[in-house]
């Protein structure tokens, strides 16, 4: 079996060649206690950790086997609580098994077969031998934030190789500055191949966000943190704006993730990663808010952080403060998870609104004519799009098409519509509907009733998400995002957006019931009624007012018989 850190096959050889391990022996001087190398004849465990147990009686800590059993039983919520509460010391052997287990649960690609990584290494570099020459890093890496965390030159070369292979295997990654630091952290506890598999799980996760992979999502993330901070750390934000009247909060929050990754001591960072690898980026959001509050308190009581000393560069002051953070890892996490009113739904709502705004702005500001595929200069569908719709549709007139087009997110109007499913051609079967539609995102549903009413919904997420399971291993009842909206075209013309789009308040679960589906029905909108419900034969349906969209029934009678159902996707997305 390959050694966890150096790739040495013989564990005793590893222990005797400490100077050549990935982590620089010189880093001992940075730590309070000597480096600890754990070794067992039966188990290759953590090889390079720092900070022994604190003096005194330690609470009993949960074992890897216990956590593994909980995950196998689908008890993700119980695992979450264990990870939050168990402060394993940094020299604990548990992480060499725990972290691959946590990251592995997010894997969606078949890139974890034995030998896959080394085949990729050979394909990219022509050899599996580690080159002594520097490796050119992929474009998505930010060279100013290639944090090595005391890796040796060999360790840094391995980290370079891992991110190159990941970039080759995942060409959709265009900007991801946190990927390299996380790679470096993983190499403290596992082999090169295991680190790659862990990253593949984090990058490919569909259920949770771990690592942003584009500049747009990077910007959406820091702006989301800024919006959350304005609500949950009001005193800190007011203080910084008061001592620096010209301060642009954007400049401070653009570096929010580096408060954690570049600022916090390694023992804090490792404990954060224990939770992050299971719960996702929301853990970092919470930690960032605690850092803001702690820094604010220190500014008021410690002359080192007086207004005169920090007002010219609050961003750097934040990172310096984090290096000397006055609380233990356990207290930091306890404070982070004690923040009230910071639900996943609330974070998602802020994120989606920010993403929608930035995507629309980027399209409007784009001067590239190549991007404008189906939108004319007056924001109406091109003649080609009009012809396509008229040839395909049994429900839309040109006038109704223009109305509907004006309601779509601007970025979506760049793409040509394509008819994915119609009852006129494909029959009335929910099974056929899923086969033809479920992998497309977004989709546009158009219903024409036997009374000639025309209405429908813009559905922001794939219908395949009806199969995604929650923390308890249960299929989630509802899915989708706040970009979903309802509309009516005949006899009334109206758009009904999500109620949270203009409201930052947490409106409760009933306001976020966007889409639901199973083998018996499809539902859009919920909360004291369903905006659109259709049966498994796509023949009968009903429509009510609902809390998610605050809409009236979309047809006067409430119940309707379907004459035609059409579902459109968009080519090129």
């Amino acid at each position: 079996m390959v050694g966890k850190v150096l790739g040495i096959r013989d564990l005793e050889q590893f222990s005797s060649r400490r100077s050549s391990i990935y982590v620089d022996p010189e880093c001992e001087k940075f730590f309070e206690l000597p480096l600890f190398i754990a070794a067992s004849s039966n188990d290759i465990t953590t090889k390079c950790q720092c900070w022994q147990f604190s003096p005194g009686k330690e609470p009993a800590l949960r074992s890897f086997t216990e956590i593994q059993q909980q995950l196998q039983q689908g008890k993700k919520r119980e695992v979450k609580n264990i990870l939050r509460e168990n402060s394993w010391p940094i020299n604990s052997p548990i992480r060499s098994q725990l972290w691959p287990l946590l990251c592995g649960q997010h894997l969606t690609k078949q890139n974890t077969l034995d030998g896959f990584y080394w085949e990729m290494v050979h394909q990219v570099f022509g050899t599996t031998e580690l080159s002594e020459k520097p490796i050119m890093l992929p474009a998505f890496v930010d060279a100013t934030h290639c944090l090595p965390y005391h890796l040796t030159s060999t360790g840094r070369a391995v980290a370079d190789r891992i991110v190159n292979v990941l970039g080759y295997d995942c060409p959709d990654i265009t900007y991801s500055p946190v990927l390299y630091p996380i790679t470096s952290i993983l190499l403290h506890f596992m082999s090169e191949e295991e680190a790659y598999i862990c990253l593949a799980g984090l990058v490919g996760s569909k259920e949770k966000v771990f690592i942003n992979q584009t500049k747009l999502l990077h910007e959406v993330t820091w702006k989301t943190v800024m919006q959350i901070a304005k609500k949950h750390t009001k005193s800190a934000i007011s203080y910084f704006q008061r001592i620096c009247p010209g301060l642009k909060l954007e400049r401070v929050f653009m570096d929010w993730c580096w408060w954690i990754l570049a600022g916090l001591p390694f023992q804090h960072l490792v404990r954060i990663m224990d939770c992050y690898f299971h719960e996702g980026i929301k853990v970092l959001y919470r930690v960032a808010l605690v850092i803001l509050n702690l820094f604010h308190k220190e500014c008021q009581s410690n002359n080192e952080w007086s207004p005169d000393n920090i007002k010219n560069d609050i961003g750097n002051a934040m990172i310096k403060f984090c290096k000397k953070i006055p609380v233990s890892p356990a207290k930091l996490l306890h404070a982070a998870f004690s923040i009230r009113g910071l639900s996943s739904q609330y974070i998602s709502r802020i994120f989606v609104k920010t993403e929608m705004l930035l995507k629309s702005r980027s399209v409007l500001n784009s001067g590239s004519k190549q991007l404008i595929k189906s939108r004319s200069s007056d924001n109406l569908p091109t003649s080609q799009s009009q012809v396509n719709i008229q040839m395909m549709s049994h429900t839309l007139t040109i006038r109704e098409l223009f109305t509907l087009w004006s309601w779509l997110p601007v970025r979506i109007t760049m793409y040509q519509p394509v008819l994915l499913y119609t009852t006129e051609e494909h029959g009335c079967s929910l099974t056929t509907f899923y086969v033809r539609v479920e992998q497309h995102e977004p989709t546009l549903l158009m219903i024409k009733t036997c009374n000639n009413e025309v209405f429908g919904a813009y559905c922001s997420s794939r219908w395949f998400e009806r199969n995604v399971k929650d923390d308890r291993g249960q299929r989630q009842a509802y899915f989708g995002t706040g970009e979903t909206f309802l509309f009516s075209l005949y006899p009334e013309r109206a758009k009904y957006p999500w109620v949270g789009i203009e409201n930052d308040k947490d409106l409760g679960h009933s306001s976020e019931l966007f889409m639901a589906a199973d083998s018996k029905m499809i539902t859009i909108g919920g909360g004291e009624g369903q905006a659109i419900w259709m049966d498994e034969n796509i023949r009968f349906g009903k429509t009510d007012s609902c809390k998610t969209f605050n809409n009236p029934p979309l047809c006067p009678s409430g119940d309707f018989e379907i004459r035609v159902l059409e579902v459109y996707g968009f080519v090129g997305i």
Side-chain angles (χ1 to χ4, degrees):
M1 183 176 178
V2 177
K4 295 289 183 186
V5 178
L6 186 59
I8 298 175
R9 297 181 181 279
D10 186 273
L11 186 57
E12 293 181 0
Q13 182 183 6
F14 171 85
S15 298
S16 67
R17 292 181 58 193
R18 178 170 162 184
S19 62
S20 63
I21 64 177
Y22 288 172
V23 182
D24 190 345
E26 287 296 310
C27 75
E28 285 188 50
K29 64 187 179 183
F30 295 101
F31 305 140
E32 296 175 1
L33 293 168
L35 290 172
F36 173 80
I37 299 180
S40 165
S41 59
N42 298 322
D43 180 35
I44 297 180
T45 57
T46 308
K47 301 299 185 300
C48 186
Q49 274 53 270
C50 316
W51 299 283
Q52 302 273 5
F53 284 96
S54 301
K57 187 177 181 180
E58 293 292 328
L61 296 171
R62 305 292 283 273
S63 69
F64 169 77
T65 302
E66 290 178 278
I67 298 173
Q68 186 181 40
Q69 289 173 347
Q70 296 274 17
L71 279 181
Q72 288 173 346
Q73 295 169 15
K75 297 180 179 179
K76 294 186 178 181
R77 181 169 295 183
E78 288 79 359
V79 170
K80 177 179 71 175
N81 292 330
I82 291 172
L83 296 173
R84 290 180 176 189
E85 296 168 2
N86 283 247
S87 293
W88 296 282
I90 202 167
N91 61 355
S92 169
I94 192 172
R95 291 185 181 89
S96 63
Q97 296 174 291
L98 177 62
W99 284 8
L101 176 70
L102 296 176
C103 296
Q105 66 183 323
H106 311 299
L107 281 167
T108 56
K109 295 177 63 177
Q110 295 298 316
N111 54 3
T112 58
L113 300 175
D114 287 344
F116 175 86
Y117 174 70
W118 294 110
E119 289 178 7
M120 291 291 292
V121 169
H122 194 278
Q123 189 172 347
V124 175
F125 297 102
T127 178
T128 57
E129 295 296 322
L130 195 61
S131 174
E132 295 182 359
K133 297 180 180 180
I135 299 173
M136 182 177 293
L137 293 171
F140 61 75
V141 171
D142 184 342
T144 61
H145 289 114
C146 289
L147 305 174
Y149 302 111
H150 308 297
L151 295 181
T152 62
S153 58
T154 300
R156 291 193 294 272
V158 168
D160 294 350
R161 182 159 71 175
I162 290 173
V163 296
N164 266 283
V165 173
L166 192 67
Y168 184 83
D169 187 38
C170 305
D172 291 339
I173 302 176
T174 56
Y175 185 71
S176 187
V178 305
L179 206 153
Y180 193 101
I182 292 176
T183 303
S184 298
I185 295 169
L186 289 169
L187 286 174
H188 280 256
F189 299 92
M190 62 191 69
S191 71
E192 177 178 352
E193 183 176 18
E194 286 173 318
Y196 172 82
I197 294 172
C198 285
L199 288 167
L202 301 179
V203 166
S205 174
K206 300 298 183 185
E207 185 179 348
K208 292 183 174 71
V209 175
F210 291 89
I211 297 175
N212 292 320
Q213 298 163 48
T214 67
K215 279 194 173 182
L216 174 67
L217 290 181
H218 180 75
E219 183 177 358
V220 171
T221 299
W222 69 253
K223 287 190 172 181
T224 297
V225 175
M226 183 173 67
Q227 291 301 317
I228 293 171
K230 287 179 179 180
K231 176 180 178 181
H232 289 272
T233 60
K234 290 181 180 178
S235 297
I237 298 297
S238 298
Y239 176 79
F240 296 137
Q241 290 184 319
R242 187 168 64 252
I243 66 172
C244 304
L247 175 67
K248 291 186 176 180
L249 284 177
E250 287 83 356
R251 290 181 177 271
V252 176
F253 281 94
M254 285 175 69
D255 288 334
W256 78 279
C257 61
W258 307 119
W259 306 344
I260 301 169
L261 293 173
L264 290 178
F266 196 65
Q267 72 267 37
H268 289 70
L269 193 52
V270 168
R271 274 294 292 128
I272 291 168
M273 292 294 109
D274 289 340
C275 302
Y276 164 81
F277 290 142
H278 183 60
E279 297 185 55
I281 199 170
K282 69 176 184 179
V283 173
L284 305 187
Y285 290 173
R286 287 179 170 273
V287 171
L289 296 185
V290 174
I291 289 172
L292 267 174
N293 276 329
L294 288 173
F295 185 49
H296 175 220
K297 291 179 180 178
E298 285 291 302
C299 288
Q300 294 176 307
S301 60
N302 189 332
N303 287 334
E304 182 180 357
W305 312 110
S306 66
D308 289 339
N309 290 335
I310 70 171
K311 65 181 181 181
N312 293 326
D313 195 349
I314 291 180
N316 270 332
M318 290 280 292
I319 293 178
K320 290 179 182 177
F321 166 77
C322 289
K323 292 179 184 295
K324 303 178 181 180
I325 196 159
V327 297
S328 68
K331 287 185 177 180
L332 179 66
L333 284 178
H334 178 74
F337 294 123
S338 297
I339 299 172
R340 295 184 177 181
L342 194 58
S343 66
S344 296
Q345 291 82 4
Y346 167 74
I347 293 173
S348 177
R349 182 164 62 249
I350 300 299
F351 189 94
V352 168
K353 289 171 65 173
T354 305
E355 183 181 17
M356 289 167 58
L357 177 64
L358 291 180
K359 283 182 176 179
S360 296
R361 185 179 298 165
S362 67
V363 171
L364 291 173
N365 292 338
S366 173
S368 172
K369 293 182 180 179
Q370 294 179 347
L371 289 176
I372 309 303
K373 299 177 182 177
S374 70
R375 181 172 63 87
S376 62
S377 58
D378 54 359
N379 208 28
L380 294 176
T382 61
S383 57
Q384 183 60 53
S385 296
Q386 296 175 35
V387 170
N388 289 349
I389 289 286
Q390 287 299 291
M391 290 178 63
M392 294 185 290
S393 180
H394 291 268
T395 62
L396 284 172
T397 65
I398 287 293
R399 184 182 176 191
E400 290 168 342
L401 171 61
F402 281 10
T403 299
L404 184 55
W405 217 254
S406 69
W407 292 338
L408 293 176
V410 176
R411 72 182 190 284
I412 301 302
T413 63
M414 295 189 305
Y415 302 99
Q416 293 286 357
V418 57
L419 184 62
L420 302 174
Y421 171 85
T422 173
T423 51
E424 293 284 289
E425 181 179 345
H426 304 115
C428 300
S429 165
L430 203 49
T431 301
T432 305
F433 171 92
Y434 290 138
V435 168
R436 299 191 61 84
V437 168
E438 65 178 10
Q439 296 294 348
H440 291 264
E441 178 181 306
T443 51
L444 189 63
L445 272 66
M446 304 285 303
I447 297 170
K448 187 170 187 177
T449 73
C450 289
N451 292 329
N452 291 321
E453 295 119 341
V454 178
F455 55 86
Y458 172 85
C459 302
S460 62
S461 300
R462 297 181 305 158
W463 287 98
F464 179 79
E465 289 190 25
R466 72 190 188 281
N467 297 317
V468 175
K469 296 180 179 179
D470 61 18
D471 289 348
R472 297 179 177 179
Q474 303 294 322
R475 288 187 179 181
Q476 53 185 346
Y478 280 86
F479 52 94
T481 72
E483 201 169 34
T484 302
F485 66 84
L486 304 174
F487 59 85
S488 173
L489 291 173
Y490 185 82
E492 300 290 334
R493 291 174 186 260
K495 176 185 178 183
Y496 304 101
W498 171 45
V499 294
I501 204 69
E502 299 294 342
N503 195 331
D504 287 340
K505 295 180 180 179
D506 193 340
L507 301 174
H509 177 66
S510 63
S511 67
E512 297 179 353
L513 306 178
F514 301 109
M515 302 161 61
D518 58 28
S519 61
K520 300 293 183 182
M521 63 84 200
I522 283 177
T523 294
I524 302 168
E528 297 185 2
Q530 297 164 314
I532 297 176
W533 179 90
M534 291 184 288
D535 68 5
E536 60 186 307
N537 298 315
I538 312 183
R539 182 179 176 187
F540 295 105
K542 62 180 179 180
T543 172
D544 296 311
S545 301
C546 76
K547 283 192 171 182
T548 303
F549 301 104
N550 194 28
N551 61 286
L554 299 176
C555 66
S557 62
D559 296 318
F560 58 86
E561 184 175 355
I562 299 170
R563 175 176 291 177
V564 182
L565 171 67
E566 296 175 347
V567 184
Y568 294 89
F570 298 88
V571 176
I573 295 181

